[in-house]
Amino acid sequence: MHALNKNRPLRRVMLASAATVSGIVMLLALKPHTAPTVITDSAAPAPSVSSSASPGASSGSSGSGSSSGSSGSSKSGSSSTGTKTVTGNTVQTRWGPVQVKVTVKNGKITDVTAVQYPSDNPRDQQINDYALPQLRSEALAAQSASIDTVSGATYTSEGYQQSLQSALDSAGL
């Protein structure tokens, strides 16, 4: 005999009610995803640029060679060689902030470092250990912020690109 037999309507009503209640409980237990939030340039602090120049034309007599800047961008450079270290805006992603520091020499990107990136849990660390070296090599190869997104690290990649672009804009590239 079949469980939903027409001779037993009460059994059908009970099964339908149980299925409905189970479905509602599962829907209420579902955690909705939140949309990623991105800080625009107007809400974020201006990127910092660090560059220092030797006051004289003589070589090797500049003294202490101190640098100016904020947000930890304290790499000294010379205007004759055109070395600058620029820290991009902090971009808030779904999984945490992303911020990039770029070193530019003679108009070329020579180094890119992720200053901030999501690392709150082991999964974030695993993803970023894989993604950040790829993003760095892409940026160095492209010499711009037009880089590919790393599969599995979409939010980090997008935040990296935006912070990199703000740093490059501040560096004048």
Side-chain angles (χ1 to χ4, degrees):
M1 262 211 189
H2 193 266
L4 298 178
N5 174 330
K6 287 186 182 181
N7 296 335
R8 300 185 185 225
L10 187 57
R11 184 174 285 175
R12 284 191 304 192
V13 170
M14 292 302 294
L15 285 173
S17 297
T20 302
V21 169
S22 297
I24 290 173
V25 167
M26 288 192 313
L27 282 174
L28 293 175
L30 179 68
K31 301 278 190 272
H33 293 283
T34 57
T37 57
V38 177
I39 294 178
T40 60
D41 289 343
S42 62
S48 61
V49 177
S50 174
S51 179
S52 64
S54 298
S58 64
S59 62
S61 63
S62 66
S64 66
S66 65
S67 66
S68 63
S70 62
S71 301
S73 294
S74 59
K75 186 164 187 161
S76 63
S78 171
S79 63
S80 63
T81 59
T83 302
K84 282 193 231 181
T85 299
V86 183
T87 303
N89 291 336
T90 300
V91 179
Q92 290 296 327
T93 68
R94 177 178 178 183
W95 303 112
V98 177
Q99 187 177 29
V100 177
K101 181 171 68 173
V102 179
T103 302
V104 178
K105 183 174 184 179
N106 295 330
K108 296 223 179 230
I109 300 171
T110 58
D111 189 30
V112 181
T113 307
V115 178
Q116 289 183 23
Y117 52 90
S119 59
D120 292 340
N121 61 56
R123 181 68 177 144
D124 287 343
Q125 293 170 2
Q126 180 184 18
I127 289 170
N128 290 320
D129 285 346
Y130 171 76
L132 292 175
Q134 287 187 9
L135 291 167
R136 179 182 184 276
S137 64
E138 287 263 342
L140 291 173
Q143 290 292 306
S144 73
S146 298
I147 57 177
D148 291 334
T149 300
V150 175
S151 178
T154 304
Y155 293 108
T156 300
S157 297
E158 290 171 356
Y160 193 97
Q161 289 169 339
Q162 291 173 14
S163 183
L164 178 59
Q165 185 62 57
S166 72
L168 295 176
D169 290 346
S170 295
L173 294 180

PDB file of all heavy atoms in Angstrom, residues 5 13-14 22 29-30 34 39 41-42 49 61-62 71 74 82 114 121 125 134 143 153 156 159-160 163 165 167-168:
ATOM      1  N   ASN A   5      -2.103   7.197   0.231  1.00  0.00           N
ATOM      2  CA  ASN A   5      -3.303   6.503  -0.225  1.00  0.00           C
ATOM      3  C   ASN A   5      -4.535   7.396  -0.040  1.00  0.00           C
ATOM      4  O   ASN A   5      -4.669   8.074   0.981  1.00  0.00           O
ATOM      5  CB  ASN A   5      -3.352   5.208   0.611  1.00  0.00           C
ATOM      6  CG  ASN A   5      -4.561   4.373   0.437  1.00  0.00           C
ATOM      7  OD1 ASN A   5      -5.632   4.872   0.162  1.00  0.00           O
ATOM      8  ND2 ASN A   5      -4.385   3.097   0.642  1.00  0.00           N
ATOM      9  N   VAL A  13      -2.380  15.027   4.912  1.00  0.00           N
ATOM     10  CA  VAL A  13      -2.358  16.347   5.535  1.00  0.00           C
ATOM     11  C   VAL A  13      -1.162  16.455   6.485  1.00  0.00           C
ATOM     12  O   VAL A  13      -0.453  17.467   6.510  1.00  0.00           O
ATOM     13  CB  VAL A  13      -3.682  16.630   6.273  1.00  0.00           C
ATOM     14  CG1 VAL A  13      -3.581  17.881   7.137  1.00  0.00           C
ATOM     15  CG2 VAL A  13      -4.818  16.766   5.294  1.00  0.00           C
ATOM     16  N   MET A  14      -0.900  15.424   7.266  1.00  0.00           N
ATOM     17  CA  MET A  14       0.215  15.448   8.211  1.00  0.00           C
ATOM     18  C   MET A  14       1.563  15.515   7.475  1.00  0.00           C
ATOM     19  O   MET A  14       2.455  16.261   7.885  1.00  0.00           O
ATOM     20  CB  MET A  14       0.167  14.215   9.130  1.00  0.00           C
ATOM     21  CG  MET A  14      -1.016  14.221  10.093  1.00  0.00           C
ATOM     22  SD  MET A  14      -1.062  15.671  11.160  1.00  0.00           S
ATOM     23  CE  MET A  14       0.392  15.407  12.115  1.00  0.00           C
ATOM     24  N   SER A  22       9.161  21.972   7.705  1.00  0.00           N
ATOM     25  CA  SER A  22      10.588  21.726   7.469  1.00  0.00           C
ATOM     26  C   SER A  22      11.156  22.734   6.482  1.00  0.00           C
ATOM     27  O   SER A  22      12.267  23.251   6.673  1.00  0.00           O
ATOM     28  CB  SER A  22      10.814  20.310   6.929  1.00  0.00           C
ATOM     29  OG  SER A  22      10.417  19.360   7.883  1.00  0.00           O
ATOM     30  N   ALA A  29      16.683  29.424   8.591  1.00  0.00           N
ATOM     31  CA  ALA A  29      18.046  29.145   9.035  1.00  0.00           C
ATOM     32  C   ALA A  29      19.088  29.612   8.020  1.00  0.00           C
ATOM     33  O   ALA A  29      20.258  29.754   8.353  1.00  0.00           O
ATOM     34  CB  ALA A  29      18.221  27.654   9.298  1.00  0.00           C
ATOM     35  N   LEU A  30      18.676  29.869   6.794  1.00  0.00           N
ATOM     36  CA  LEU A  30      19.598  30.291   5.740  1.00  0.00           C
ATOM     37  C   LEU A  30      20.118  31.695   6.033  1.00  0.00           C
ATOM     38  O   LEU A  30      19.358  32.621   6.271  1.00  0.00           O
ATOM     39  CB  LEU A  30      18.893  30.273   4.380  1.00  0.00           C
ATOM     40  CG  LEU A  30      19.699  30.717   3.185  1.00  0.00           C
ATOM     41  CD1 LEU A  30      20.797  29.693   2.900  1.00  0.00           C
ATOM     42  CD2 LEU A  30      18.820  30.870   1.968  1.00  0.00           C
ATOM     43  N   THR A  34      25.789  39.106   2.277  1.00  0.00           N
ATOM     44  CA  THR A  34      25.773  40.562   2.228  1.00  0.00           C
ATOM     45  C   THR A  34      26.557  41.014   1.011  1.00  0.00           C
ATOM     46  O   THR A  34      27.532  40.389   0.616  1.00  0.00           O
ATOM     47  CB  THR A  34      26.400  41.168   3.499  1.00  0.00           C
ATOM     48  OG1 THR A  34      27.732  40.665   3.627  1.00  0.00           O
ATOM     49  CG2 THR A  34      25.601  40.813   4.735  1.00  0.00           C
ATOM     50  N   ILE A  39      34.868  51.218  -0.345  1.00  0.00           N
ATOM     51  CA  ILE A  39      35.004  52.628   0.000  1.00  0.00           C
ATOM     52  C   ILE A  39      35.450  53.370  -1.246  1.00  0.00           C
ATOM     53  O   ILE A  39      36.428  52.992  -1.885  1.00  0.00           O
ATOM     54  CB  ILE A  39      36.034  52.818   1.126  1.00  0.00           C
ATOM     55  CG1 ILE A  39      35.530  52.176   2.408  1.00  0.00           C
ATOM     56  CG2 ILE A  39      36.320  54.289   1.341  1.00  0.00           C
ATOM     57  CD1 ILE A  39      36.506  52.280   3.544  1.00  0.00           C
ATOM     58  N   ASP A  41      36.807  56.813  -3.313  1.00  0.00           N
ATOM     59  CA  ASP A  41      37.904  57.734  -3.058  1.00  0.00           C
ATOM     60  C   ASP A  41      37.498  58.902  -2.166  1.00  0.00           C
ATOM     61  O   ASP A  41      38.293  59.411  -1.408  1.00  0.00           O
ATOM     62  CB  ASP A  41      38.466  58.284  -4.367  1.00  0.00           C
ATOM     63  CG  ASP A  41      39.234  57.230  -5.142  1.00  0.00           C
ATOM     64  OD1 ASP A  41      39.604  56.206  -4.531  1.00  0.00           O
ATOM     65  OD2 ASP A  41      39.467  57.431  -6.341  1.00  0.00           O
ATOM     66  N   SER A  42      36.245  59.340  -2.238  1.00  0.00           N
ATOM     67  CA  SER A  42      35.825  60.485  -1.447  1.00  0.00           C
ATOM     68  C   SER A  42      35.729  60.147   0.034  1.00  0.00           C
ATOM     69  O   SER A  42      35.909  61.009   0.874  1.00  0.00           O
ATOM     70  CB  SER A  42      34.481  61.015  -1.950  1.00  0.00           C
ATOM     71  OG  SER A  42      33.491  60.008  -1.798  1.00  0.00           O
ATOM     72  N   VAL A  49      52.233  59.528  -0.470  1.00  0.00           N
ATOM     73  CA  VAL A  49      53.358  59.440  -1.394  1.00  0.00           C
ATOM     74  C   VAL A  49      54.602  59.781  -0.608  1.00  0.00           C
ATOM     75  O   VAL A  49      54.632  60.752   0.134  1.00  0.00           O
ATOM     76  CB  VAL A  49      53.197  60.421  -2.571  1.00  0.00           C
ATOM     77  CG1 VAL A  49      54.408  60.363  -3.480  1.00  0.00           C
ATOM     78  CG2 VAL A  49      51.939  60.140  -3.344  1.00  0.00           C
ATOM     79  N   SER A  61      76.802  63.237  -0.575  1.00  0.00           N
ATOM     80  CA  SER A  61      76.914  64.182   0.524  1.00  0.00           C
ATOM     81  C   SER A  61      75.555  64.713   0.949  1.00  0.00           C
ATOM     82  O   SER A  61      75.430  65.855   1.323  1.00  0.00           O
ATOM     83  CB  SER A  61      77.811  65.358   0.114  1.00  0.00           C
ATOM     84  OG  SER A  61      77.213  66.053  -0.959  1.00  0.00           O
ATOM     85  N   SER A  62      74.534  63.888   0.919  1.00  0.00           N
ATOM     86  CA  SER A  62      73.199  64.381   1.248  1.00  0.00           C
ATOM     87  C   SER A  62      72.887  64.271   2.720  1.00  0.00           C
ATOM     88  O   SER A  62      71.868  64.764   3.164  1.00  0.00           O
ATOM     89  CB  SER A  62      72.134  63.634   0.434  1.00  0.00           C
ATOM     90  OG  SER A  62      72.096  62.276   0.821  1.00  0.00           O
ATOM     91  N   SER A  71      51.179  57.018   6.926  1.00  0.00           N
ATOM     92  CA  SER A  71      50.627  55.676   6.777  1.00  0.00           C
ATOM     93  C   SER A  71      51.708  54.632   6.547  1.00  0.00           C
ATOM     94  O   SER A  71      51.485  53.664   5.846  1.00  0.00           O
ATOM     95  CB  SER A  71      49.610  55.620   5.629  1.00  0.00           C
ATOM     96  OG  SER A  71      48.576  56.515   5.846  1.00  0.00           O
ATOM     97  N   SER A  74      57.524  54.971   4.247  1.00  0.00           N
ATOM     98  CA  SER A  74      58.730  55.686   4.627  1.00  0.00           C
ATOM     99  C   SER A  74      59.934  55.094   3.927  1.00  0.00           C
ATOM    100  O   SER A  74      60.849  54.620   4.560  1.00  0.00           O
ATOM    101  CB  SER A  74      58.898  55.646   6.142  1.00  0.00           C
ATOM    102  OG  SER A  74      58.976  54.309   6.574  1.00  0.00           O
ATOM    103  N   GLY A  82      64.136  59.071  -9.671  1.00  0.00           N
ATOM    104  CA  GLY A  82      62.685  58.974  -9.766  1.00  0.00           C
ATOM    105  C   GLY A  82      62.091  57.840  -8.962  1.00  0.00           C
ATOM    106  O   GLY A  82      61.098  57.277  -9.360  1.00  0.00           O
ATOM    107  N   ALA A 114      51.380  43.958  -0.725  1.00  0.00           N
ATOM    108  CA  ALA A 114      50.078  44.059  -0.072  1.00  0.00           C
ATOM    109  C   ALA A 114      50.317  44.419   1.388  1.00  0.00           C
ATOM    110  O   ALA A 114      50.902  43.640   2.142  1.00  0.00           O
ATOM    111  CB  ALA A 114      49.313  42.756  -0.194  1.00  0.00           C
ATOM    112  N   ASN A 121      40.882  34.382   9.204  1.00  0.00           N
ATOM    113  CA  ASN A 121      40.725  32.950   9.464  1.00  0.00           C
ATOM    114  C   ASN A 121      41.661  32.154   8.563  1.00  0.00           C
ATOM    115  O   ASN A 121      42.227  32.696   7.615  1.00  0.00           O
ATOM    116  CB  ASN A 121      39.255  32.529   9.281  1.00  0.00           C
ATOM    117  CG  ASN A 121      38.739  32.772   7.886  1.00  0.00           C
ATOM    118  OD1 ASN A 121      39.318  32.291   6.920  1.00  0.00           O
ATOM    119  ND2 ASN A 121      37.643  33.513   7.764  1.00  0.00           N
ATOM    120  N   GLN A 125      43.765  33.113   4.926  1.00  0.00           N
ATOM    121  CA  GLN A 125      45.216  33.007   4.796  1.00  0.00           C
ATOM    122  C   GLN A 125      45.599  32.086   3.649  1.00  0.00           C
ATOM    123  O   GLN A 125      46.512  32.384   2.883  1.00  0.00           O
ATOM    124  CB  GLN A 125      45.818  32.506   6.106  1.00  0.00           C
ATOM    125  CG  GLN A 125      45.681  33.501   7.234  1.00  0.00           C
ATOM    126  CD  GLN A 125      46.063  32.926   8.592  1.00  0.00           C
ATOM    127  OE1 GLN A 125      46.472  31.782   8.696  1.00  0.00           O
ATOM    128  NE2 GLN A 125      45.923  33.732   9.630  1.00  0.00           N
ATOM    129  N   GLN A 134      50.419  35.909  -7.131  1.00  0.00           N
ATOM    130  CA  GLN A 134      49.958  35.994  -8.520  1.00  0.00           C
ATOM    131  C   GLN A 134      49.585  37.426  -8.886  1.00  0.00           C
ATOM    132  O   GLN A 134      49.926  37.908  -9.971  1.00  0.00           O
ATOM    133  CB  GLN A 134      48.751  35.080  -8.740  1.00  0.00           C
ATOM    134  CG  GLN A 134      49.105  33.622  -8.761  1.00  0.00           C
ATOM    135  CD  GLN A 134      47.918  32.761  -9.156  1.00  0.00           C
ATOM    136  OE1 GLN A 134      46.872  33.261  -9.579  1.00  0.00           O
ATOM    137  NE2 GLN A 134      48.079  31.461  -9.025  1.00  0.00           N
ATOM    138  N   GLN A 143      52.571  46.378 -15.585  1.00  0.00           N
ATOM    139  CA  GLN A 143      52.970  47.752 -15.298  1.00  0.00           C
ATOM    140  C   GLN A 143      51.753  48.675 -15.196  1.00  0.00           C
ATOM    141  O   GLN A 143      51.812  49.851 -15.549  1.00  0.00           O
ATOM    142  CB  GLN A 143      53.956  48.281 -16.352  1.00  0.00           C
ATOM    143  CG  GLN A 143      55.325  47.631 -16.291  1.00  0.00           C
ATOM    144  CD  GLN A 143      56.085  48.002 -15.035  1.00  0.00           C
ATOM    145  OE1 GLN A 143      56.274  49.180 -14.726  1.00  0.00           O
ATOM    146  NE2 GLN A 143      56.514  47.000 -14.280  1.00  0.00           N
ATOM    147  N   ALA A 153      39.647  34.101  -5.482  1.00  0.00           N
ATOM    148  CA  ALA A 153      39.991  35.267  -4.656  1.00  0.00           C
ATOM    149  C   ALA A 153      39.467  36.528  -5.327  1.00  0.00           C
ATOM    150  O   ALA A 153      40.171  37.533  -5.447  1.00  0.00           O
ATOM    151  CB  ALA A 153      41.499  35.342  -4.459  1.00  0.00           C
ATOM    152  N   THR A 156      39.337  39.828  -3.060  1.00  0.00           N
ATOM    153  CA  THR A 156      40.695  40.305  -2.803  1.00  0.00           C
ATOM    154  C   THR A 156      41.305  40.884  -4.075  1.00  0.00           C
ATOM    155  O   THR A 156      41.953  41.927  -4.047  1.00  0.00           O
ATOM    156  CB  THR A 156      41.571  39.162  -2.250  1.00  0.00           C
ATOM    157  OG1 THR A 156      40.998  38.701  -1.026  1.00  0.00           O
ATOM    158  CG2 THR A 156      42.994  39.621  -1.997  1.00  0.00           C
ATOM    159  N   GLY A 159      39.776  44.327  -4.787  1.00  0.00           N
ATOM    160  CA  GLY A 159      40.306  45.308  -3.847  1.00  0.00           C
ATOM    161  C   GLY A 159      41.755  45.648  -4.157  1.00  0.00           C
ATOM    162  O   GLY A 159      42.166  46.807  -4.081  1.00  0.00           O
ATOM    163  N   TYR A 160      42.540  44.643  -4.528  1.00  0.00           N
ATOM    164  CA  TYR A 160      43.947  44.825  -4.896  1.00  0.00           C
ATOM    165  C   TYR A 160      44.050  45.742  -6.115  1.00  0.00           C
ATOM    166  O   TYR A 160      44.855  46.678  -6.131  1.00  0.00           O
ATOM    167  CB  TYR A 160      44.543  43.454  -5.196  1.00  0.00           C
ATOM    168  CG  TYR A 160      46.042  43.379  -5.294  1.00  0.00           C
ATOM    169  CD1 TYR A 160      46.808  42.975  -4.204  1.00  0.00           C
ATOM    170  CD2 TYR A 160      46.709  43.658  -6.478  1.00  0.00           C
ATOM    171  CE1 TYR A 160      48.187  42.861  -4.292  1.00  0.00           C
ATOM    172  CE2 TYR A 160      48.082  43.545  -6.572  1.00  0.00           C
ATOM    173  CZ  TYR A 160      48.819  43.152  -5.474  1.00  0.00           C
ATOM    174  OH  TYR A 160      50.180  43.029  -5.568  1.00  0.00           O
ATOM    175  N   SER A 163      43.077  49.414  -5.076  1.00  0.00           N
ATOM    176  CA  SER A 163      44.123  50.050  -4.277  1.00  0.00           C
ATOM    177  C   SER A 163      45.358  50.320  -5.128  1.00  0.00           C
ATOM    178  O   SER A 163      45.985  51.376  -5.012  1.00  0.00           O
ATOM    179  CB  SER A 163      44.477  49.168  -3.084  1.00  0.00           C
ATOM    180  OG  SER A 163      45.435  49.796  -2.261  1.00  0.00           O
ATOM    181  N   GLN A 165      45.384  50.874  -8.366  1.00  0.00           N
ATOM    182  CA  GLN A 165      45.074  51.997  -9.247  1.00  0.00           C
ATOM    183  C   GLN A 165      45.191  53.321  -8.521  1.00  0.00           C
ATOM    184  O   GLN A 165      45.737  54.285  -9.051  1.00  0.00           O
ATOM    185  CB  GLN A 165      43.680  51.843  -9.861  1.00  0.00           C
ATOM    186  CG  GLN A 165      43.352  52.916 -10.889  1.00  0.00           C
ATOM    187  CD  GLN A 165      44.286  52.887 -12.078  1.00  0.00           C
ATOM    188  OE1 GLN A 165      44.403  51.866 -12.748  1.00  0.00           O
ATOM    189  NE2 GLN A 165      44.946  53.997 -12.365  1.00  0.00           N
ATOM    190  N   ALA A 167      47.094  53.975  -5.961  1.00  0.00           N
ATOM    191  CA  ALA A 167      48.526  54.218  -5.742  1.00  0.00           C
ATOM    192  C   ALA A 167      49.203  54.717  -7.010  1.00  0.00           C
ATOM    193  O   ALA A 167      50.014  55.649  -6.983  1.00  0.00           O
ATOM    194  CB  ALA A 167      49.211  52.955  -5.222  1.00  0.00           C
ATOM    195  N   LEU A 168      48.871  54.095  -8.139  1.00  0.00           N
ATOM    196  CA  LEU A 168      49.459  54.505  -9.420  1.00  0.00           C
ATOM    197  C   LEU A 168      49.015  55.904  -9.802  1.00  0.00           C
ATOM    198  O   LEU A 168      49.800  56.687 -10.350  1.00  0.00           O
ATOM    199  CB  LEU A 168      49.117  53.505 -10.517  1.00  0.00           C
ATOM    200  CG  LEU A 168      49.709  52.099 -10.348  1.00  0.00           C
ATOM    201  CD1 LEU A 168      49.220  51.168 -11.443  1.00  0.00           C
ATOM    202  CD2 LEU A 168      51.220  52.160 -10.308  1.00  0.00           C
TER     203      LEU A 168
END
